[in-house]
Amino acid sequence: MLAVETSRMRTIQLEYRRQGLRLGESIEMKVIVDLCVVPMGVGVSVSKYVAECQKVLQEAGLEHQLHAYGTNIEGEWDAVFAAIKRCHERVHAMGAPRITTSIKVGTRTDRDQTMQDKIDSVTDGNL
Amino acid sequence: MLAVETSRMRTIQLEYRRQGLRLGESIEMKVIVDLCVVPMGVGVSVSKYVAECQKVLQEAGLEHQLHAYGTNIEGEWDAVFAAIKRCHERVHAMGAPRITTSIKVGTRTDRDQTMQDKIDSVTDGNL
Amino acid sequence: MLAVETSRMRTIQLEYRRQGLRLGESIEMKVIVDLCVVPMGVGVSVSKYVAECQKVLQEAGLEHQLHAYGTNIEGEWDAVFAAIKRCHERVHAMGAPRITTSIKVGTRTDRDQTMQDKIDSVTDGNL
Amino acid sequence: MLAVETSRMRTIQLEYRRQGLRLGESIEMKVIVDLCVVPMGVGVSVSKYVAECQKVLQEAGLEHQLHAYGTNIEGEWDAVFAAIKRCHERVHAMGAPRITTSIKVGTRTDRDQTMQDKIDSVTDGNL
């Protein structure tokens, strides 16, 4: 077990070094996120809370695109997740006692990809 | 406990009767769905599998809209879920040995709502 | 484009034939599902609705396991999704005007895997 | 519109003041999270990556519970999301070029609730 553990840590350390990082140091990661915030205990209509979250993303200067079941967001990991936290704070501050949120997060190290690239890769292949 | 159980069943039966249904009979439900199919074990690029799922939705005659992290779909419950099953069948048939899919499903009995209505309710409030 | 389309259909047809199926015919698929049903417009406490969904799964004879943010379910695709539809019907019948549900669905053709197998594969490797 | 905006900001500021906070300042929020990390481009078996994420949560001292389709986590917002970021860093460092992760996040201001409380509220009601 110790051998396995040592080999595991070595692999991880090598990868960090390859990227010029020390363990514990944060890797800059671009994310594409899908966010769906559901306030509970405020009745059946939740559009004003979703609109408030759109404002939060706008204020954060994050690229984002609303769709019928959530919002796509693009940016650095920390900026995007700080904005998502702010969404929860604001929606609570607006009076919602409970929130359940779904998030999908995509990261990749092989290449850069924007939200539009993801859509294009499907529709271009869809000849 | 029996009393609780009986009262529970009575409530449910009354609601079914109100809708002119017998218990066991299926309630017609319109759904708005968000679908994200992730084939595993086929490498890093999955756009051709996603494109195939778009074809399945098209062939099923379902209203749908691709976004950067999934596809919004609108229709009757049975039609939509039959199409989602077909997506899994097709993606396996294309060679993916494993699939993990995320689905969000929204239903409501208070009023009809389309995918566009949902977007409008947020952006109109977002003046 | 026609050539691409023809080759695509041929691949799919071959796979169906390999499995002894005709196109259009349903492939039997075992699924592992994670289900999280969120009733809206019924206040902040939703446990009685979740409990009702547990009953639905029980009545359906499906293997299932409640956790802190949903329920794992194991079974054939059609049986599992019929039960999920019944959950929506019941929760609406109990008075919830709106429901938003998250579902994760896993299927694989390379081998059988139970919910317990999935947990074991992680914890056994976690020596 | 300006009047609406002003009233919106007043509501939010009042809530912040009620909690003894300045706008911009972070509200401490306890979260219950469900996490499912899916490495892509590494073949069909992903258990060693999931096991690594378990280690990350352990190292972070976070309460967590593995289930068949993810892991429940309990803690302060910042600690939990820092750990989730570390999961992505580690899984990339282990060689996965692409990751797609699903997260459910629950917060509430009406009362404290642990993962076990959530399970109990359903099973106790399920008499």
Side-chain angles (χ1 to χ4, degrees):
Chain A
M1 191 189 109
L2 228 114
V4 169
E5 192 60 4
T6 309
S7 133
R8 180 181 75 89
M9 285 314 294
R10 194 163 306 149
T11 309
I12 292 173
Q13 279 167 0
L14 280 174
E15 178 61 26
Y16 269 67
R17 205 165 306 150
R18 203 181 58 76
Q19 300 189 30
L21 294 163
R22 282 188 310 273
L23 265 181
E25 194 172 6
S26 223
I27 298 185
E28 273 300 273
M29 272 191 296
K30 236 192 103 222
V31 296
I32 293 181
V33 157
D34 193 56
L35 174 70
C36 178
V37 175
V38 179
M40 295 170 72
V42 292
V44 92
S45 172
V46 299
S47 52
K48 72 171 173 178
Y49 303 93
V50 178
E52 186 66 33
C53 294
Q54 300 303 108
K55 279 178 205 278
V56 168
L57 300 174
Q58 200 94 33
E59 289 164 14
L62 290 165
E63 195 86 26
H64 64 286
Q65 184 61 50
L66 180 73
H67 60 78
Y69 223 132
T71 302
N72 297 155
I73 314 169
E74 190 180 312
E76 285 298 324
W77 183 291
D78 291 341
V80 171
F81 280 94
I84 294 175
K85 189 186 181 189
R86 219 140 47 227
C87 289
H88 270 245
E89 290 169 348
R90 289 275 184 89
V91 172
H92 281 311
M94 288 171 78
R98 188 174 183 179
I99 306 172
T100 183
T101 288
S102 298
I103 305 169
K104 287 201 278 271
V105 203
T107 57
R108 51 197 310 175
T109 53
D110 56 338
R111 62 183 183 94
D112 275 341
Q113 190 182 41
T114 64
M115 299 191 294
Q116 193 54 49
D117 291 338
K118 284 190 75 175
I119 293 174
D120 292 345
S121 73
V122 173
T123 48
D124 293 354
N126 200 2
L127 301 174
Chain B
M1 190 189 112
L2 227 114
V4 168
E5 192 59 5
T6 310
S7 134
R8 182 181 75 89
M9 285 315 294
R10 195 162 306 147
T11 310
I12 292 173
Q13 279 167 0
L14 281 173
E15 179 60 26
Y16 269 67
R17 207 165 305 150
R18 203 181 58 76
Q19 298 189 30
L21 294 163
R22 282 188 309 273
L23 267 181
E25 195 172 6
S26 224
I27 298 185
E28 272 301 273
M29 274 190 297
K30 236 191 105 226
V31 295
I32 294 181
V33 157
D34 192 55
L35 174 70
C36 178
V37 175
V38 179
M40 296 170 72
V42 291
V44 92
S45 171
V46 299
S47 52
K48 73 172 173 177
Y49 304 93
V50 177
E52 186 66 34
C53 293
Q54 300 302 108
K55 279 178 204 278
V56 168
L57 300 174
Q58 199 95 32
E59 290 164 13
L62 291 166
E63 195 87 24
H64 64 286
Q65 184 61 50
L66 179 72
H67 60 80
Y69 223 131
T71 302
N72 297 155
I73 315 169
E74 191 180 312
E76 286 298 323
W77 182 293
D78 291 342
V80 170
F81 281 94
I84 294 174
K85 188 185 181 188
R86 219 140 47 226
C87 288
H88 271 245
E89 290 169 349
R90 289 277 183 88
V91 172
H92 281 311
M94 288 171 77
R98 188 174 184 181
I99 307 172
T100 183
T101 287
S102 299
I103 305 170
K104 287 200 278 272
V105 202
T107 57
R108 51 197 310 175
T109 52
D110 57 338
R111 62 185 184 90
D112 274 342
Q113 190 183 39
T114 64
M115 300 191 294
Q116 193 54 49
D117 291 338
K118 283 191 76 176
I119 292 173
D120 292 344
S121 72
V122 173
T123 48
D124 294 353
N126 200 4
L127 301 174
Chain C
M1 191 188 109
L2 228 115
V4 169
E5 192 59 6
T6 309
S7 133
R8 181 180 75 89
M9 286 314 295
R10 195 163 304 148
T11 310
I12 293 173
Q13 280 168 359
L14 281 173
E15 179 61 27
Y16 269 67
R17 207 165 305 151
R18 203 181 58 76
Q19 298 190 30
L21 294 163
R22 281 187 311 273
L23 265 181
E25 195 172 5
S26 224
I27 298 186
E28 273 300 272
M29 273 190 298
K30 237 192 103 223
V31 295
I32 294 182
V33 157
D34 192 55
L35 175 70
C36 178
V37 175
V38 179
M40 296 169 72
V42 292
V44 90
S45 172
V46 298
S47 52
K48 73 171 172 176
Y49 304 93
V50 177
E52 186 66 35
C53 293
Q54 301 302 110
K55 278 177 204 279
V56 169
L57 300 174
Q58 200 95 31
E59 289 163 15
L62 290 165
E63 195 87 26
H64 63 286
Q65 185 60 50
L66 180 72
H67 60 79
Y69 224 130
T71 302
N72 297 155
I73 314 168
E74 190 179 311
E76 285 298 323
W77 183 292
D78 291 341
V80 170
F81 280 95
I84 294 175
K85 188 185 181 188
R86 218 141 46 228
C87 288
H88 271 245
E89 291 169 349
R90 288 276 184 90
V91 172
H92 280 310
M94 288 170 79
R98 189 174 182 181
I99 306 171
T100 183
T101 287
S102 299
I103 305 168
K104 287 200 279 271
V105 202
T107 57
R108 52 197 309 176
T109 53
D110 56 337
R111 62 186 184 91
D112 274 342
Q113 190 183 39
T114 65
M115 301 191 293
Q116 193 55 48
D117 290 338
K118 284 190 75 175
I119 292 172
D120 292 346
S121 72
V122 173
T123 48
D124 292 354
N126 200 4
L127 299 174
Chain D
M1 192 190 109
L2 227 114
V4 168
E5 191 59 4
T6 309
S7 133
R8 181 180 75 89
M9 286 313 295
R10 195 162 306 148
T11 311
I12 292 173
Q13 280 168 359
L14 280 173
E15 179 61 27
Y16 269 68
R17 206 164 307 151
R18 204 180 60 75
Q19 299 190 31
L21 293 164
R22 281 188 309 273
L23 266 182
E25 196 173 5
S26 223
I27 298 184
E28 273 300 272
M29 273 191 298
K30 236 191 102 223
V31 295
I32 294 181
V33 157
D34 193 55
L35 174 70
C36 178
V37 175
V38 179
M40 296 170 72
V42 292
V44 91
S45 172
V46 298
S47 52
K48 72 172 174 177
Y49 304 93
V50 178
E52 185 66 35
C53 294
Q54 300 302 109
K55 279 176 205 279
V56 168
L57 300 174
Q58 200 94 31
E59 290 164 14
L62 291 164
E63 194 88 24
H64 64 285
Q65 184 60 51
L66 180 72
H67 60 80
Y69 223 131
T71 303
N72 297 154
I73 315 169
E74 190 180 312
E76 286 297 324
W77 183 292
D78 291 341
V80 171
F81 281 94
I84 294 175
K85 188 185 181 188
R86 218 140 47 228
C87 289
H88 271 245
E89 290 169 350
R90 289 277 184 89
V91 172
H92 280 311
M94 288 170 78
R98 188 174 183 180
I99 307 171
T100 183
T101 288
S102 298
I103 306 169
K104 287 200 279 270
V105 202
T107 57
R108 51 197 310 176
T109 53
D110 56 337
R111 63 185 184 91
D112 274 342
Q113 191 182 38
T114 64
M115 300 191 294
Q116 193 55 48
D117 290 338
K118 284 190 74 175
I119 292 172
D120 292 346
S121 72
V122 173
T123 48
D124 293 354
N126 199 4
L127 301 174

